[in-house]
Amino acid sequence: MSSDEEKRNAAEKLKAEGNALHLKGDHAGARSKYTEAIALDGANAVLYANRAAAYIALKQCVAAAIAMDRCCAGLTGDGHTGFWTPGGTRGRCARVRKLPHVGGAVEIDPSYGKGWARLAKATSELHAWPVSINAWKRALGTLPDSDLTPQQKELKKQYQEGLELAQTTLKKQEEILQEGHNLQAMPNISERPWNRALEMEDVLTRTSVLNTSAWPIMNAYRDFSEGVGCMKQLKKDDGKLQGNLNAISSIIGGILRDDRVFHMDSADWLELLQLQVQFEMAAFQGWSEGGPETIKEEAFKRLEEKGWKPTRMALSATIRAWFLRAYFAHRSGESLSLALQHYNNVIDVLEWGAEKWKDVPSDDRGYIFQKTFVRAIKRLKMDAYLGAVRQSEDDSTYNVEDLIEMANQMVDETTKNVPKDEDDGPMDKGAWYSFFVYPIAEAHATLGAVFMQQGLSAKQANDTEEGENMLAAAAKFYRKAAETYPPDDEKAPFYLKIAFEAEWHRGRPLSETLALCERIGKLLPGVQKIWEFSTSSNLVAHLRQLDVFQQRAYTGLLEGRYSMETPSVREAAAGCNRAELC
């Protein structure tokens, strides 16, 4: 037996072992076996196709693209198989390393239908729809026109279904991009994130899963909805308001846990809220006039005259009324300066009381002076301040130095004061995220936003070195923000997308930006289980931008116009509207 024949036999044995592993679900093991087989028999198209199937199963399209070691067919949609061979040879392709080893299969045997089908599947995973469509057509072209065997009929069905799906997806994407707006509709009640989270609760409890955004959003909803239910009990009897005095504390409790839970479910919602605030302020004798200094002075008088309970209830009602003024001014966007004024007043009194009465038991002085409560309000203030900086770049009242200080203090204070049962009461599932993880994540995102703006400004001023440093810092902090959130929170892929933008502006190579795209793609199935119909962010619009980028990038790679070292900002975005990527 010749040496070549021995190698082919050994390769066949390795292929059989790979096939067995693939059927068992061990796709990584199968990939290794196929790679060993290719080293022995590099002219066997089936080996390349099988290895492509393993890569597709592993969702490692980007890694496969980087690792490509054989030339791929030139698939430009014109039906021509234009293999590029340097100097007319069949040597190693020096032009570009391309897609998941399937290129070797169709290069070796252009009539190998499964090779084209695997290429079509791989390119669809990479959103390179035109290339995928052409590959499906080439796969169909390898089948006879008539007298098909049962196996060929099944293959034809698979190829046609793949082709139709790619064509439909491409058409839909083009329609969405042409419309140019967010198609995300208001979800039905059952589809809202908190309701989806509640549906998952039994399974999460049974499996002891904690690393999920389901816990904070469902518990935020429980507090918020309980408060709204209490608020709707309010009624007038003989001209006097009567109702439940726990409404405002529960509504605000939900907002401070996760303010994405905020929603109004009736036309008179705001009117009811205003009446509820009036009702509780009157019942607890809160201070409807005066600023922080007045409240501090009056609180001492109340304490001396009536003791802790009346003082605690009056302070709680007043602080929560101030918070609602700040929150609505903040979220409406009408007056961030007014929102910040109210937030500052709240924080002033809370920090004063926490220090003045630091040795007083929590049951006496009240929950509003706890670190978790103060921290949650500071987190919202930080967000409002970021908005104010963005709105008034030339206004010295708001500056990035103060914002950076807020973010750094948030990380430092939170890290040093991990919530403990003895300090803050028993922690339910989700409180850890609401009062520890989320503040740190948002602080990182705030720093990312600051450095992003500084980097873009430096680039516009042609300060290349400063721009590079600032954008690198922006990408770093947005990554940290994404990685701090639970992996199924909508903000994890969202902040990775902004990190992608920073890397794009830096002109980082496709090997890096496409790897970020792949990371985002891996997060989406988990995110969609809870946040598919969230209206709290524009993640959908950002994902459309990534679709455009990936399609252009992978098509360019397949056509040989780009390599994985091509700067993303210069080559892969050629012909794109830059505004779509930012």
Side-chain angles (χ1 to χ4, degrees), residues 94-111:
R95 185 179 183 186
V96 59
R97 291 184 290 176
K98 298 186 179 76
L99 273 170
H101 301 279
V102 104
V106 296
E107 178 186 2
I108 293 166
D109 185 1
S111 66

Side-chain angles (χ1 to χ4, degrees), residues 494-544:
F494 177 77
Y495 286 138
L496 279 181
K497 164 56 169 59
I498 311 302
F500 162 88
E501 291 178 12
E503 302 291 25
W504 184 87
H505 282 294
R506 291 176 67 203
R508 301 306 299 161
L510 291 176
S511 60
E512 296 182 20
T513 51
L514 288 174
L516 264 176
C517 292
E518 184 176 33
R519 282 185 65 187
I520 292 168
K522 287 180 178 179
L523 290 174
L524 292 179
V527 171
Q528 288 174 340
K529 289 179 181 178
I530 301 172
W531 302 96
E532 182 179 7
F533 295 104
S534 170
T535 58
S536 61
S537 76
N538 55 354
L539 178 60
V540 172
H542 281 272
L543 294 178
R544 287 207 306 270

Side-chain angles (χ1 to χ4, degrees), residues 210 212-223 252-261 367 371-380 382 410 413-414 417 419 424 427-443 484-486 489 491 531:
L210 295 176
T212 171
S213 61
W215 292 117
I217 193 65
M218 78 168 74
N219 285 331
Y221 174 68
R222 284 191 170 113
D223 283 357
I252 292 176
I255 291 172
L256 294 184
R257 281 176 177 272
D258 190 332
D259 75 317
R260 290 172 291 184
V261 80
Y367 175 67
K371 291 182 177 68
T372 49
F373 189 88
V374 179
R375 185 183 304 130
I377 292 176
K378 285 185 174 181
R379 178 164 71 97
L380 290 169
M382 182 174 63
M410 180 67 71
E413 186 277 329
T414 309
N417 295 284
D424 300 303
M427 289 183 63
D428 57 65
K429 297 183 183 75
W432 170 259
Y433 284 108
S434 296
F435 301 114
F436 179 75
V437 175
Y438 287 1
I440 292 176
E442 288 304 305
T484 302
Y485 269 98
D489 194 296
K491 291 190 179 182
W531 302 96

Side-chain angles (χ1 to χ4, degrees), residues 205-476:
T205 301
R206 188 167 60 251
T207 55
S208 300
V209 173
L210 295 176
N211 189 25
T212 171
S213 61
W215 292 117
I217 193 65
M218 78 168 74
N219 285 331
Y221 174 68
R222 284 191 170 113
D223 283 357
F224 185 83
S225 61
E226 180 181 347
V228 172
C230 292
M231 180 179 75
K232 290 184 176 181
Q233 296 174 19
L234 191 66
K235 60 183 179 180
K236 282 189 177 181
D237 188 4
D238 293 331
K240 294 182 179 180
L241 289 173
Q242 292 186 352
N244 192 307
L245 292 171
N246 295 318
I248 299 302
S249 62
S250 293
I251 289 172
I252 292 176
I255 291 172
L256 294 184
R257 281 176 177 272
D258 190 332
D259 75 317
R260 290 172 291 184
V261 80
F262 178 82
H263 63 286
M264 295 182 286
D265 59 2
S266 63
D268 62 347
W269 202 95
L270 283 177
E271 181 182 351
L272 285 172
L273 182 68
Q274 291 170 350
L275 289 173
Q276 184 70 36
V277 170
Q278 294 173 20
F279 172 59
E280 294 192 23
M281 284 285 282
F284 296 131
Q285 296 183 318
W287 295 279
S288 57
E289 296 181 358
E293 296 308 315
T294 300
I295 302 307
K296 294 173 189 178
E297 182 179 345
E298 291 296 323
F300 260 118
K301 291 180 181 179
R302 184 78 56 88
L303 182 59
E304 291 177 358
E305 294 171 1
K306 299 185 178 181
W308 270 115
K309 185 175 181 180
T311 305
R312 179 178 69 247
M313 303 309 289
L315 280 169
S316 177
T318 303
I319 289 298
R320 286 184 164 96
W322 285 4
F323 169 78
L324 288 173
R325 293 178 197 169
Y327 184 74
F328 280 98
H330 174 191
R331 288 311 183 200
S332 68
E334 293 178 2
S335 180
L336 289 174
S337 61
L338 180 61
L340 287 166
Q341 178 185 331
H342 289 314
Y343 279 137
N344 286 336
N345 288 344
V346 170
I347 293 168
D348 185 351
V349 174
L350 294 181
E351 291 187 331
W352 165 81
E355 176 60 28
K356 199 73 177 176
W357 297 318
K358 60 184 177 183
D359 296 324
V360 175
S362 297
D363 289 344
D364 285 334
R365 66 179 186 173
Y367 175 67
I368 62 171
F369 296 110
Q370 298 295 67
K371 291 182 177 68
T372 49
F373 189 88
V374 179
R375 185 183 304 130
I377 292 176
K378 285 185 174 181
R379 178 164 71 97
L380 290 169
K381 176 196 168 181
M382 182 174 63
D383 183 66
Y385 199 96
L386 173 60
V389 169
R390 284 171 167 165
Q391 283 185 6
S392 52
E393 294 180 5
D394 299 326
D395 187 346
S396 60
T397 305
Y398 310 108
N399 59 78
V400 295
E401 289 78 15
D402 287 344
L403 186 58
I404 291 172
E405 180 65 17
M406 284 181 204
N408 285 330
Q409 284 183 358
M410 180 67 71
V411 174
D412 185 59
E413 186 277 329
T414 309
T415 303
K416 289 180 179 177
N417 295 284
V418 177
K420 298 177 182 178
D421 286 355
E422 58 267 27
D423 293 334
D424 300 303
M427 289 183 63
D428 57 65
K429 297 183 183 75
W432 170 259
Y433 284 108
S434 296
F435 301 114
F436 179 75
V437 175
Y438 287 1
I440 292 176
E442 288 304 305
H444 290 326
T446 299
L447 292 170
V450 169
F451 291 125
M452 176 75 93
Q453 186 57 51
Q454 291 182 337
L456 294 176
S457 297
K459 281 191 68 176
Q460 290 177 352
N462 295 318
D463 189 342
T464 305
E465 183 178 357
E466 179 71 4
E468 167 68 20
N469 290 338
M470 292 297 101
L471 289 171
K476 173 185 134 182

Side-chain angles (χ1 to χ4, degrees), residues 91-133:
R92 183 178 176 85
C93 179
R95 185 179 183 186
V96 59
R97 291 184 290 176
K98 298 186 179 76
L99 273 170
H101 301 279
V102 104
V106 296
E107 178 186 2
I108 293 166
D109 185 1
S111 66
Y112 184 40
K114 285 187 178 180
W116 289 110
R118 299 274 165 77
L119 180 59
K121 176 64 174 174
T123 50
S124 68
E125 291 285 337
L126 298 172
H127 298 201
W129 303 114
V131 179
S132 180
I133 289 169

